[in-house]
Amino acid sequence: MHSPKLDQYFSDMRETHLSELKEFLKIASISSLSEHKEDMQKGAEWLAENMKQAGLENVKIDATAGHPVVYADWLHAPGKPTVLMYGHYDVQPVDPLHLWETEPFEPTIRDEKLFARGASDDKGQVFMHVKAVEALLKNSGELPVNIKFLIEGEEEIGSPNLDAYVEENKEALAADIIVISDTGMQGPGQPAVCYGLRGLAGIQIDVKGAKGDLHSGLYGGGVQNALHAIVELLASFRDKEGTIQVDGFYENVRPLLDDEREAYKALGFDEEALKQELEVPALFGEPGFTHLERVWARPTLEVNGVFGGFSGEGIKTVLPNEAGAKITCRLVPDQDPDEIVAKLKAHVEAHKPQGVEVTVSEFDKGKPFITPYDHPAIQAAGASYEAVYNVPTAYVRGGGSIPIVASFDEILGLPVVLMGFGLSTENFHAPNEHFHLENFDKGLRVIGNYYEQLANFTPEQLKK
């Protein structure tokens, strides 16, 4: 059961809290656009002030080489665990503007949904944690656990300065667990705790043949065509069933536990419904795995783009002299992005077609992360969801990548709990982003309950 006192507080303060959140959402804190630099500072200052009003201490705005980080804490629960809560106050650009039904920085409530850029990703969810702390302090005068907030302003541009900040402030950020609310639920009314994310390794392959495009009548059949070369090379990466053919690619993949496979099966995922939704005749992937297992717990190699030759109207009878492709791999524990890139390069060298030169460029990298799903902090999060939503919590992995999560795991060596309240239908990163107020209301109560649940553990019990 969640606390009746907290429940009453959130009910009494609902309109005040929504009014405050709207103020936060009015700030156009777009980290990727230089013309919004002042808005980024304004967003950090608004958040810092709201944290002070909530009762948090040692509130400060720390400069980085880019946009500032907001820090706050409350550390008066001796012997109790310390939670590091991470989130971000920056948002995505709003284009195309004409597709928004209301102005992106003029928050509007329609059908019990709050529409604004950042409503779900991630201002709304960060705000909920601040208000949960406020509620606990107002009702008890203290928190059940120690807490530190680390809210950055560069998540939407890849957190380029956060690793350095965390390294420099390692002692100040010391904690027992990290909590992040920047993910989603399994579906409406179906809470989920995400305990793992895939990593990422990206490359570009460039193929160079003759000094320029050649006439296909004069040279066809006698000189290598760069497009044929790239197609041949790309075809060597996977077999017809999708199993990756790169030597050693799977050698460090952590196998799924039987309990995990049973938990995924219990979700009752409808693969037929997915086929209809995507309008495809069949799903595809590694034999021996379900769709959820493939997208959550197995590595991938995908061609994201191929370029070269003539693609205009009509036909042009040439042998293209240049072609290329972009490839990304999603990685799972315990794969290392640097090792995977080295194996990809070795594969390209071993399968390089005759008559061309091939170069490989490295792009984005991010390590995978996993906190064992039976970890006490993960299970406590599930129990807090269940206390409010009154349905079993799903324990899931995410198919995507959040590089900073892996950085936290690596630099601070702490278990990471991803407990989000957004829905995949809420248009984050797209026009008409919104947040269902049902999950705002319930989420506040879940977070308050979770901090209380964590007080039942010693710091030693929460070690990874």
Side-chain angles (χ1 to χ4, degrees):
M1 291 269 312
H2 52 287
S3 165
K5 283 187 177 181
L6 289 186
D7 193 56
Q8 188 62 52
Y9 181 82
F10 290 131
S11 295
D12 292 344
M13 294 295 292
R14 186 176 193 264
E15 293 307 313
T16 299
H17 287 164
L18 287 176
S19 178
E20 289 179 20
L21 178 54
K22 286 179 180 179
E23 289 180 17
F24 194 19
L25 294 170
K26 286 180 179 180
I27 302 170
S29 49
I30 303 173
S31 54
S32 62
L33 301 178
S34 58
E35 60 262 36
H36 288 282
K37 186 175 181 179
E38 289 185 10
D39 290 318
M40 292 301 302
Q41 183 67 30
K42 186 177 178 183
E45 290 172 355
W46 188 96
L47 180 59
E49 182 58 32
N50 196 259
M51 286 174 160
K52 289 177 185 175
Q53 292 175 8
L56 286 160
E57 301 172 347
N58 300 311
V59 181
K60 59 179 181 172
I61 299 173
D62 285 338
T64 72
H67 300 304
V69 165
V70 182
Y71 174 89
D73 63 34
W74 190 94
L75 305 173
H76 304 292
K80 298 296 184 180
T82 299
V83 178
L84 176 61
M85 193 275 150
Y86 163 82
H88 63 94
Y89 66 89
D90 65 321
V91 300
Q92 284 278 327
V94 297
D95 55 303
L97 191 58
H98 70 278
L99 294 181
W100 286 80
E101 293 181 26
T102 50
E103 292 295 319
F105 295 109
E106 290 296 331
T108 306
I109 294 176
R110 302 193 301 274
D111 301 322
E112 280 301 284
K113 302 170 189 173
L114 176 58
F115 287 80
R117 174 58 89 226
S120 179
D121 179 22
D122 182 38
K123 285 182 176 178
Q125 300 199 57
V126 166
F127 180 81
M128 288 160 64
H129 279 269
V130 176
K131 295 298 111 176
V133 165
E134 175 188 282
L136 289 164
L137 288 172
K138 295 286 186 185
N139 280 278
S140 304
E142 60 183 7
L143 299 181
V145 293
N146 302 292
I147 191 163
K148 299 176 181 180
F149 278 80
L150 172 62
I151 313 299
E152 71 156 320
E154 297 186 319
E155 193 274 346
E156 299 292 7
I157 54 174
S159 304
N161 296 295
L162 196 61
D163 278 17
Y165 179 87
V166 174
E167 285 279 10
E168 291 167 10
N169 295 276
K170 206 169 176 179
E171 286 188 28
L173 297 174
D176 298 301
I177 66 165
I178 298 171
V179 175
I180 301 174
S181 292
D182 193 17
T183 51
M185 307 211 313
Q186 187 68 6
Q190 177 55 70
V193 178
C194 181
Y195 64 95
L197 293 169
R198 292 195 290 192
L200 183 68
I203 64 169
Q204 178 171 315
I205 302 172
D206 290 286
V207 172
K208 177 74 166 62
K211 63 181 181 180
D213 288 353
L214 301 176
H215 190 288
S216 67
L218 295 176
Y219 295 98
V223 177
Q224 178 67 282
N225 180 321
L227 272 176
H228 281 285
I230 195 69
V231 168
E232 177 187 335
L233 185 53
L234 294 177
S236 72
F237 279 106
R238 300 195 322 196
D239 68 14
K240 64 181 181 180
E241 293 183 306
T243 302
I244 297 163
Q245 302 299 295
V246 175
D247 284 347
F249 190 88
Y250 293 104
E251 67 184 14
N252 292 321
V253 171
R254 187 184 304 187
L256 272 161
L257 300 174
D258 290 342
D259 286 352
E260 288 180 287
R261 301 190 86 160
E262 287 301 316
Y264 298 171
K265 186 177 179 181
L267 294 175
F269 184 80
D270 190 338
E271 295 192 1
E272 285 299 318
L274 180 62
K275 286 195 299 185
Q276 293 177 21
E277 178 189 339
L278 300 179
E279 299 181 7
V280 295
L283 299 178
F284 176 81
E286 260 189 292
F289 298 94
T290 66
H291 176 74
L292 290 184
E293 290 169 351
R294 290 169 183 161
V295 299
W296 286 351
R298 298 297 295 170
T300 68
L301 186 152
E302 301 287 351
V303 178
N304 307 122
V306 180
F307 45 93
F310 177 72
S311 58
E313 185 177 355
I315 193 167
K316 184 179 182 183
T317 55
V318 296
L319 273 66
N321 74 314
E322 293 181 337
K326 296 180 185 290
I327 290 175
T328 52
C329 298
R330 297 288 178 172
L331 310 178
V332 299
D334 299 293
Q335 290 180 300
D336 181 87
D338 291 322
E339 291 180 6
I340 291 299
V341 168
K343 289 171 181 176
L344 295 177
K345 288 181 175 180
H347 181 90
V348 169
E349 186 61 30
H351 293 79
K352 182 172 69 175
Q354 292 183 346
V356 292
E357 293 298 322
V358 182
T359 57
V360 177
S361 305
E362 300 179 20
F363 285 101
D364 293 354
K365 292 179 188 174
K367 290 188 176 182
F369 116 90
I370 190 167
T371 296
Y373 90 104
D374 57 355
H375 188 281
I378 296 287
Q379 292 298 311
S384 293
Y385 275 120
E386 290 172 11
V388 177
Y389 282 86
N390 295 311
V391 298
T393 300
Y395 295 93
V396 305
R397 295 200 208 179
S401 308
I402 306 177
I404 194 58
V405 174
S407 295
F408 281 139
D409 184 40
E410 186 176 7
I411 298 169
L412 299 178
L414 302 176
V416 181
V417 181
L418 296 166
M419 51 187 306
F421 301 92
L423 294 174
S424 61
T425 56
E426 289 179 336
N427 290 1
F428 37 85
H429 291 207
N432 301 309
E433 179 181 348
H434 57 279
F435 194 19
H436 284 70
L437 292 184
E438 176 190 7
N439 293 327
F440 174 79
D441 293 330
K442 289 183 175 179
L444 286 165
R445 292 157 173 82
V446 170
I447 295 167
N449 181 278
Y450 185 52
Y451 290 148
E452 291 178 331
Q453 290 253 9
L454 289 175
N456 295 323
F457 300 98
T458 66
E460 281 297 317
Q461 289 174 315
L462 295 180
K463 286 196 181 298
K464 191 171 179 180

XYZ file of all heavy atoms in Angstrom, residues 303-353:
376
model
N 22.442 -2.698 -41.679
C 22.849 -1.694 -42.674
C 21.827 -0.564 -42.608
O 20.637 -0.764 -42.866
C 22.892 -2.294 -44.086
C 23.266 -1.216 -45.113
C 23.875 -3.453 -44.148
N 22.287 0.636 -42.264
C 21.380 1.773 -42.115
C 21.255 2.628 -43.374
O 20.319 3.415 -43.496
C 21.859 2.674 -40.968
C 22.063 1.908 -39.677
O 23.143 1.907 -39.122
N 21.035 1.218 -39.199
N 22.206 2.484 -44.271
C 22.145 3.261 -45.501
C 23.213 2.824 -46.479
O 24.308 2.418 -46.074
N 22.875 2.875 -47.782
C 23.825 2.553 -48.852
C 23.789 3.705 -49.850
O 22.713 4.206 -50.193
C 23.457 1.232 -49.560
C 24.457 0.913 -50.666
C 23.388 0.077 -48.571
N 24.954 4.120 -50.325
C 24.991 5.256 -51.235
C 26.012 5.021 -52.347
O 26.992 4.304 -52.178
C 25.310 6.556 -50.489
C 26.438 6.427 -49.495
C 27.742 6.725 -49.853
C 26.184 6.015 -48.193
C 28.778 6.610 -48.938
C 27.210 5.897 -47.262
C 28.522 6.195 -47.645
N 25.761 5.661 -53.500
C 26.661 5.541 -54.645
C 25.888 5.448 -55.936
O 24.704 5.075 -55.967
N 26.545 5.797 -57.038
C 25.942 5.625 -58.349
C 24.878 6.647 -58.678
O 24.736 7.678 -58.021
N 24.089 6.333 -59.697
C 23.062 7.232 -60.216
C 21.695 6.794 -59.714
O 21.327 5.623 -59.814
C 23.078 7.206 -61.750
C 22.001 8.040 -62.384
C 22.071 9.420 -62.356
C 20.902 7.434 -62.990
C 21.071 10.187 -62.924
C 19.909 8.199 -63.559
C 19.987 9.578 -63.539
N 20.932 7.736 -59.152
C 19.599 7.401 -58.656
C 18.550 8.402 -59.115
O 17.458 8.469 -58.553
C 19.611 7.326 -57.126
O 20.041 8.557 -56.567
N 18.868 9.177 -60.144
C 17.919 10.144 -60.664
C 16.902 9.501 -61.589
O 16.858 8.278 -61.766
N 16.083 10.327 -62.189
C 15.060 9.832 -63.102
C 15.703 9.226 -64.343
O 16.712 9.721 -64.841
C 14.126 10.984 -63.487
C 12.946 10.555 -64.336
C 12.007 11.706 -64.651
O 12.227 12.819 -64.129
O 11.058 11.486 -65.427
N 15.133 8.160 -64.854
C 15.668 7.522 -66.049
C 16.849 6.625 -65.727
O 16.951 6.077 -64.627
N 17.760 6.488 -66.668
C 18.899 5.593 -66.486
C 20.175 6.266 -66.976
O 20.153 7.091 -67.884
C 18.664 4.261 -67.239
C 19.676 3.205 -66.797
C 18.689 4.464 -68.752
C 19.315 1.809 -67.241
N 21.261 5.932 -66.336
C 22.570 6.462 -66.719
C 23.525 5.280 -66.730
O 23.778 4.662 -65.702
C 23.037 7.531 -65.730
C 24.354 8.197 -66.103
C 24.730 9.265 -65.079
C 26.022 9.971 -65.461
N 26.429 10.955 -64.420
N 24.044 4.953 -67.883
C 24.821 3.722 -68.053
C 26.276 3.936 -67.669
O 27.162 4.103 -68.515
C 24.715 3.229 -69.506
O 25.112 4.294 -70.386
C 23.296 2.823 -69.834
N 26.518 3.931 -66.337
C 27.868 4.134 -65.833
C 28.245 3.011 -64.871
O 27.386 2.310 -64.331
C 28.014 5.485 -65.101
C 27.803 6.640 -66.045
C 27.068 5.559 -63.908
N 29.540 2.868 -64.664
C 30.074 2.058 -63.575
C 30.473 3.040 -62.471
O 31.461 3.765 -62.633
C 31.316 1.277 -64.013
C 31.135 -0.098 -64.665
C 30.447 0.059 -66.015
C 32.485 -0.769 -64.831
N 29.731 3.122 -61.377
C 30.108 4.059 -60.312
C 31.496 3.722 -59.767
O 31.822 2.550 -59.567
C 29.037 3.840 -59.248
C 27.899 3.207 -59.965
C 28.510 2.387 -61.053
N 32.284 4.751 -59.524
C 33.634 4.513 -58.994
C 33.674 4.569 -57.478
O 34.670 4.188 -56.874
C 34.627 5.530 -59.575
C 34.453 6.912 -58.954
O 33.328 7.396 -58.834
N 35.550 7.538 -58.564
N 32.586 5.065 -56.844
C 32.549 5.153 -55.384
C 31.206 4.660 -54.865
O 30.167 4.847 -55.506
C 32.764 6.600 -54.913
C 34.149 7.151 -55.189
C 34.313 8.571 -54.675
O 33.282 9.267 -54.514
O 35.458 8.977 -54.415
N 31.248 4.046 -53.711
C 30.023 3.614 -53.030
C 30.339 3.459 -51.549
O 31.510 3.376 -51.148
C 29.504 2.305 -53.611
N 29.305 3.410 -50.736
C 29.540 3.264 -49.308
C 28.300 2.803 -48.579
O 27.213 2.692 -49.153
N 28.488 2.522 -47.303
C 27.373 2.073 -46.469
C 27.646 2.452 -45.021
O 28.802 2.566 -44.594
C 27.188 0.571 -46.591
N 26.559 2.641 -44.291
C 26.643 2.896 -42.853
C 26.038 1.702 -42.117
O 24.966 1.207 -42.489
C 25.898 4.183 -42.487
C 26.515 5.434 -43.118
C 25.732 6.680 -42.731
C 26.264 7.919 -43.451
N 27.595 8.323 -42.954
N 26.732 1.246 -41.089
C 26.324 0.062 -40.336
C 26.341 0.379 -38.850
O 27.257 1.051 -38.358
C 27.288 -1.115 -40.604
C 27.108 -1.623 -42.038
C 27.084 -2.253 -39.611
C 28.111 -2.699 -42.414
N 25.321 -0.091 -38.132
C 25.363 -0.026 -36.668
C 25.091 -1.406 -36.092
O 24.309 -2.182 -36.639
C 24.330 0.958 -36.078
O 23.035 0.673 -36.602
C 24.716 2.387 -36.384
N 25.740 -1.676 -34.979
C 25.523 -2.914 -34.223
C 24.993 -2.555 -32.847
O 25.563 -1.707 -32.160
C 26.829 -3.691 -34.061
S 27.578 -4.226 -35.606
N 23.903 -3.188 -32.461
C 23.439 -3.100 -31.081
C 24.093 -4.249 -30.314
O 24.073 -5.399 -30.774
C 21.917 -3.218 -31.002
C 21.191 -2.089 -31.704
C 21.291 -0.769 -30.967
N 20.624 0.303 -31.709
C 20.417 1.524 -31.250
N 20.848 1.839 -30.038
N 19.807 2.429 -31.977
N 24.647 -3.926 -29.166
C 25.461 -4.886 -28.420
C 24.807 -5.227 -27.091
O 24.055 -4.437 -26.528
C 26.859 -4.307 -28.180
C 27.571 -3.741 -29.413
C 28.927 -3.167 -29.019
C 27.719 -4.801 -30.487
N 25.118 -6.416 -26.598
C 24.546 -6.878 -25.331
C 25.675 -7.209 -24.367
O 26.831 -7.359 -24.759
C 23.642 -8.105 -25.550
C 22.483 -7.758 -26.473
C 24.429 -9.280 -26.113
N 25.364 -7.304 -23.066
C 26.403 -7.719 -22.116
C 26.956 -9.092 -22.536
O 26.182 -9.969 -22.893
C 25.649 -7.837 -20.787
C 24.425 -6.967 -20.971
C 24.058 -7.089 -22.402
N 28.245 -9.320 -22.598
C 29.369 -8.536 -22.177
C 30.225 -8.132 -23.387
O 31.441 -8.261 -23.367
C 30.218 -9.372 -21.215
C 29.433 -9.763 -19.976
O 29.106 -8.856 -19.191
O 29.133 -10.951 -19.802
N 29.589 -7.647 -24.424
C 30.317 -7.232 -25.620
C 30.935 -5.856 -25.416
O 30.343 -4.980 -24.783
C 29.374 -7.205 -26.823
C 28.913 -8.577 -27.288
C 27.992 -8.480 -28.487
O 26.933 -7.864 -28.421
N 28.406 -9.079 -29.587
N 32.132 -5.670 -25.977
C 32.843 -4.399 -25.884
C 32.824 -3.713 -27.245
O 33.212 -4.317 -28.247
C 34.279 -4.633 -25.427
C 35.044 -3.325 -25.303
O 34.972 -2.707 -24.236
O 35.705 -2.931 -26.287
N 32.380 -2.451 -27.327
C 32.285 -1.768 -28.619
C 33.611 -1.706 -29.380
O 33.630 -1.889 -30.605
C 31.809 -0.361 -28.257
C 31.151 -0.509 -26.935
C 31.869 -1.604 -26.228
N 34.709 -1.460 -28.684
C 36.008 -1.386 -29.365
C 36.391 -2.739 -29.971
O 36.918 -2.805 -31.091
C 37.096 -0.923 -28.396
C 36.928 0.533 -27.987
O 36.541 1.343 -28.853
O 37.169 0.862 -26.819
N 36.132 -3.812 -29.241
C 36.435 -5.145 -29.764
C 35.558 -5.474 -30.973
O 36.036 -6.069 -31.950
C 36.227 -6.197 -28.676
C 37.256 -6.126 -27.551
C 37.009 -7.183 -26.484
O 36.105 -8.036 -26.687
O 37.706 -7.151 -25.456
N 34.305 -5.090 -30.912
C 33.395 -5.360 -32.034
C 33.828 -4.591 -33.280
O 33.842 -5.129 -34.389
C 31.947 -5.011 -31.646
C 31.438 -6.000 -30.597
C 31.042 -5.023 -32.873
C 31.399 -7.455 -31.035
N 34.208 -3.322 -33.114
C 34.675 -2.541 -34.267
C 35.925 -3.179 -34.870
O 36.062 -3.267 -36.093
C 34.935 -1.072 -33.867
C 35.695 -0.336 -34.962
C 33.616 -0.363 -33.582
N 36.829 -3.649 -34.037
C 38.038 -4.325 -34.535
C 37.661 -5.571 -35.332
O 38.261 -5.860 -36.381
C 38.952 -4.696 -33.374
N 36.663 -6.309 -34.869
C 36.230 -7.512 -35.587
C 35.537 -7.158 -36.906
O 35.684 -7.874 -37.907
C 35.311 -8.339 -34.689
C 36.063 -9.012 -33.539
C 35.142 -9.648 -32.517
C 35.966 -10.272 -31.383
N 35.144 -10.822 -30.298
N 34.793 -6.067 -36.914
C 34.171 -5.614 -38.156
C 35.227 -5.222 -39.186
O 35.121 -5.556 -40.373
C 33.243 -4.425 -37.883
C 32.021 -4.679 -37.007
C 31.255 -3.374 -36.772
C 31.100 -5.717 -37.615
N 36.250 -4.520 -38.725
C 37.332 -4.124 -39.637
C 38.055 -5.348 -40.195
O 38.389 -5.399 -41.395
C 38.325 -3.214 -38.907
C 37.801 -1.818 -38.621
C 38.868 -0.979 -37.909
C 38.420 0.449 -37.716
N 39.449 1.268 -37.019
N 38.288 -6.327 -39.326
C 38.954 -7.545 -39.779
C 38.095 -8.282 -40.803
O 38.604 -8.837 -41.784
C 39.255 -8.458 -38.583
N 36.793 -8.278 -40.603
C 35.880 -8.922 -41.547
C 35.920 -8.217 -42.901
O 35.957 -8.872 -43.959
C 34.450 -8.894 -40.988
C 33.452 -9.556 -41.878
N 33.139 -10.892 -41.786
C 32.700 -9.062 -42.902
C 32.246 -11.201 -42.700
N 31.953 -10.103 -43.382
N 35.889 -6.886 -42.869
C 35.952 -6.123 -44.122
C 37.241 -6.439 -44.868
O 37.231 -6.668 -46.090
C 35.844 -4.606 -43.831
C 36.177 -3.794 -45.087
C 34.445 -4.261 -43.319
N 38.355 -6.468 -44.163
C 39.641 -6.765 -44.798
C 39.656 -8.169 -45.401
O 40.162 -8.377 -46.517
C 40.765 -6.624 -43.769
C 42.170 -6.759 -44.339
C 42.506 -5.709 -45.381
O 41.972 -4.577 -45.298
O 43.306 -6.027 -46.308
N 39.066 -9.121 -44.690
C 39.068 -10.509 -45.174
C 38.121 -10.718 -46.357
O 38.318 -11.656 -47.146
C 38.684 -11.443 -44.034
N 37.101 -9.868 -46.484
C 36.094 -10.052 -47.542
C 36.120 -8.927 -48.573
O 35.173 -8.776 -49.346
C 34.706 -10.149 -46.912
C 34.502 -11.375 -46.082
N 34.990 -11.495 -44.797
C 33.879 -12.550 -46.367
C 34.658 -12.687 -44.314
N 34.002 -13.345 -45.240
N 37.193 -8.182 -48.616
C 37.291 -7.058 -49.547
C 37.265 -7.556 -50.992
O 38.085 -8.394 -51.373
C 38.588 -6.286 -49.274
C 38.780 -5.068 -50.155
C 39.985 -4.251 -49.709
C 41.290 -4.994 -49.968
N 42.466 -4.146 -49.636
N 36.329 -7.067 -51.805
C 36.269 -7.496 -53.208
C 37.494 -7.040 -53.999
O 38.164 -6.054 -53.637
C 35.011 -6.806 -53.724
C 34.202 -6.494 -52.502
C 35.220 -6.195 -51.442
